[in-house]
Amino acid sequence: MPTTAIVLAAGEGTRMKSKHPKVMHKLLDRPLVRWAVDSVRKAGAERVVVVVGKGADEVRAELADIPGLEFVEQKERLGTGHAVRCVRDALGAFEGPVVVTYGDSPLVRPETIKALIDANVSAHNACTVLTMTPPDPTGYGRIIQENGQVTAIVEEKDCTPEQRAITECNSGVYCFCGRRLSENLDKIGNDNANGEYYLTDMVGIYHQMGEPVAAQHCDDYTELLGVNSRTQLADATKLMQRRINERLMSEGVTMLDPSLVWVGPDVTVGQDTTLLPMTMLYGKTTVGEDCVIGPNSRLTNATVGNGCTVDETVIVESEIDDDVNCGPRAYLRGHTHLLKGAKAGTHVELKNSVVGEGSKVPHLSYIGDTQMGAGVNIGGGSITCNYDGVHKNHTTIGDGAFIGSDTMMVAPVNIGAGAITGASSCITGDVPADALAIERSKQANIEGYAAKRRERLGIKPRK
Ligand code: UD1
Ligand code: CA
């Protein structure tokens, strides 16, 4: 029987004090809801349903790239139990195991969810609740047990003082038997401090019916921290940062200070690479071996070969091959590709360009929409004038060309292999291979002019 996962993400998130739905707030580079969806998918759920409410369109758009995801809109937020009922009413009675998780709990490990499903299925329980013992249980539902059975979950607001003293709490992750959940969901009432339909009441209802409910304790409570406020978002981010960085270090990556390196979950970093402070590696970035990345670098969907240095540089949707040096202060974007041994130096921006093997763009240049061959040198201050206000135009620069400093290449334009451009030339026409193109007026020296001018203006003569 296929497993269904329901991710509840309709809540208002009042405590976030935000214009956006809570689950759209980012932990590292991705919204909370994406972490929650990823966890249940990795745990093996065949069918994933996201319950959306506040900011439904924003949440749907964020998750649009995930194939097969289903959405159910909970128009009125009447509680977690009501949210699950909306799913049943929209999609029909559940069959097989049903995992429920909350979109504001991004740290749950897929293995933990998988073990919970296995436990519920093998014990034929109506429900297995994942529980935790956090150092501060404030705000969490308490687990009431008798003879190894969970008899109720009581929300903090509804607890007696004795119940409030219980330290085992509801994590908000459950595995239900789908059939029994469908049949009994309507028994949930809203007679509680918040006037909401609580999913947690299913536990007490099952106990009344004599249906077995078990608790599965998760020893690492940090997996189950919920994000209800910006402070908790920062705490959760720190925990995830540490989890990812510890994994990378165990795989042979050096970090000068792991608290100052932020790496997304889909990033790979090769052995003996060093990540320096204030470095962010996001999206589907891959970094090879023996690189030094940072300080102050941000790579998003970047591919970095082996033996590269990336110093104070931003790389977005771009690729650098082995032994490429970037920075300090380069910006590579828009499907730029630097081939082996190429260089993008200081205050250099490269957009949608290919820089051939061993070619160098060392200082203060903008190169856009350009196909550059191997062994090219671009003199400092050179610019491809690719935009005429309407279209982006293309430049080609052949192998071994030498572009003089401050050359303007007005695209569309082709510079042949081995050609030279004179410093400060504005190149508006194609340059044949091996030619020199020079476009500047002749220099005139007016003897003694500067000295006479000083005299005229009463400036002290030069010693
Ligand atoms: C909930 C649990 C509590 C548990 C805690 C763990 C209930 C009643 N209480 O409390 O026992 O210890 O999580 O973090 O379930 N949501 C909807 N629709 C609604 C209401 C909520 O989709 O009508 C979603 C929210 O977006 C959120 C999740 O359900 O992602 C949990 O709701 P929240 O209000 O944060 O519950 P807690 O008070 O944290
Ligand atoms: Ca919560």
Side-chain angles (χ1 to χ4, degrees):
M1 215 61 105
T3 299
T4 302
I6 301 174
V7 177
L8 302 191
E12 307 276 342
T14 327
R15 288 165 278 179
M16 293 300 279
K17 305 258 166 61
S18 175
K19 299 183 288 296
H20 304 282
K22 171 164 72 180
V23 295
M24 284 301 293
H25 286 265
K26 282 185 177 170
L27 186 156
L28 296 175
D29 62 340
R30 49 173 61 186
L32 296 174
V33 67
R34 189 176 278 272
W35 289 97
V37 168
D38 261 18
S39 289
V40 293
R41 290 175 93 217
K42 286 186 184 141
E46 282 89 351
R47 189 172 187 198
V48 180
V49 185
V50 182
V51 179
V52 289
K54 178 176 175 179
D57 293 341
E58 222 179 305
V59 179
R60 275 204 186 93
E62 162 60 32
L63 300 173
D65 63 307
I66 301 178
L69 212 58
E70 293 173 72
F71 294 92
V72 167
E73 191 160 346
Q74 185 192 16
K75 294 231 160 61
E76 278 179 294
R77 259 73 72 199
L78 303 180
T80 47
H82 176 253
V84 173
R85 221 157 68 197
C86 289
V87 176
R88 183 206 56 191
D89 294 350
L91 304 178
F94 304 122
E95 283 173 66
V98 174
V99 175
V100 178
T101 65
Y102 296 163
D104 65 355
S105 300
L107 299 164
V108 198
R109 287 190 164 88
E111 310 87 79
T112 305
I113 298 174
K114 177 131 200 352
L116 184 75
I117 301 168
D118 293 345
N120 196 61
V121 170
S122 61
H124 303 286
N125 284 334
C127 177
T128 305
V129 185
L130 192 65
T131 66
M132 59 174 172
T133 311
D136 177 11
T138 308
Y140 291 111
R142 303 298 202 277
I143 303 291
I144 317 293
Q145 297 212 48
E146 259 169 50
N147 311 322
Q149 286 283 306
V150 183
T151 58
I153 298 175
V154 184
E155 290 307 300
E156 189 173 70
K157 281 185 182 167
D158 302 303
C159 278
T160 64
E162 294 75 41
Q163 288 171 331
R164 193 163 298 146
I166 293 171
T167 54
E168 188 173 3
C169 296
N170 175 23
S171 71
V173 182
Y174 323 80
C175 183
F176 290 94
C177 155
R179 180 185 55 76
R180 282 173 277 180
L181 181 64
S182 298
E183 286 168 5
N184 297 298
L185 258 177
D186 295 315
K187 295 180 181 161
I188 297 176
N190 63 351
D191 181 18
N192 52 54
N194 277 346
E196 284 184 16
Y197 295 87
Y198 288 159
L199 181 63
T200 46
D201 283 359
M202 274 321 297
V203 171
I205 291 165
Y206 284 141
H207 177 65
Q208 298 293 315
M209 297 169 66
E211 288 284 1
V213 177
Q216 174 133 315
H217 191 264
C218 177
D219 295 337
D220 179 8
Y221 74 92
T222 64
E223 271 189 56
L224 300 160
L225 291 180
V227 173
N228 299 302
S229 66
R230 306 251 183 181
T231 303
Q232 287 174 332
L233 179 62
D235 292 345
T237 301
K238 269 234 162 303
L239 286 161
M240 186 56 85
Q241 175 196 35
R242 229 173 107 177
R243 193 192 285 178
I244 291 172
N245 288 353
E246 276 172 7
R247 170 176 57 79
L248 289 171
M249 289 189 284
S250 78
E251 290 166 3
V253 174
T254 295
M255 297 185 193
L256 192 59
D257 183 345
S259 72
L260 297 175
V261 170
W262 295 266
V263 180
D266 296 334
V267 171
T268 63
V269 183
Q271 201 179 32
D272 292 318
T273 281
T274 297
L275 304 178
L276 295 173
M278 306 312 286
T279 289
M280 293 170 182
L281 307 180
Y282 282 162
K284 296 223 180 309
T285 290
T286 67
V287 176
E289 300 185 356
D290 305 307
C291 296
V292 179
I293 313 291
N296 302 327
S297 294
R298 173 164 57 88
L299 278 59
T300 304
N301 298 325
T303 304
V304 173
N306 300 319
C308 297
T309 61
V310 175
D311 186 358
E312 295 209 46
T313 286
V314 174
I315 305 180
V316 180
E317 319 277 348
S318 291
E319 186 174 350
I320 65 176
D321 292 352
D322 294 352
D323 306 317
V324 164
N325 294 325
C326 296
R329 304 201 185 111
Y331 180 22
L332 279 51
R333 64 187 177 98
H335 306 286
T336 284
H337 185 182
L338 269 62
L339 275 60
K340 189 175 162 53
K343 177 185 172 81
T346 303
H347 296 290
V348 164
E349 179 178 357
L350 297 169
K351 190 221 57 173
N352 186 34
S353 293
V354 175
V355 177
E357 223 175 281
S359 290
K360 296 192 168 25
V361 190
H363 336 272
L364 298 154
S365 287
Y366 170 66
I367 302 293
D369 305 307
T370 296
Q371 179 80 34
M372 196 186 298
V376 170
N377 190 82
I378 306 283
S382 295
I383 285 171
T384 54
C385 312
N386 62 326
Y387 187 46
D388 55 19
V390 182
H391 303 106
K392 299 289 167 71
N393 299 297
H394 218 264
T395 299
T396 62
I397 303 175
D399 291 347
F402 182 91
I403 306 299
S405 293
D406 196 28
T407 297
M408 298 296 118
M409 291 160 273
V410 181
V413 71
N414 303 298
I415 296 172
I420 299 176
T421 68
S424 186
S425 292
C426 180
I427 304 298
T428 53
D430 288 356
V431 180
D434 300 317
L436 164 70
I438 183 151
E439 187 282 330
R440 63 188 180 216
S441 46
K442 273 217 153 49
Q443 181 173 330
N445 293 337
I446 302 171
E447 293 289 342
Y449 178 94
K452 275 185 209 145
R453 177 176 170 277
R454 280 195 294 268
E455 213 177 286
R456 179 160 43 85
L457 297 175
I459 300 169
K460 260 204 296 211
R462 184 170 65 83
K463 284 209 185 79

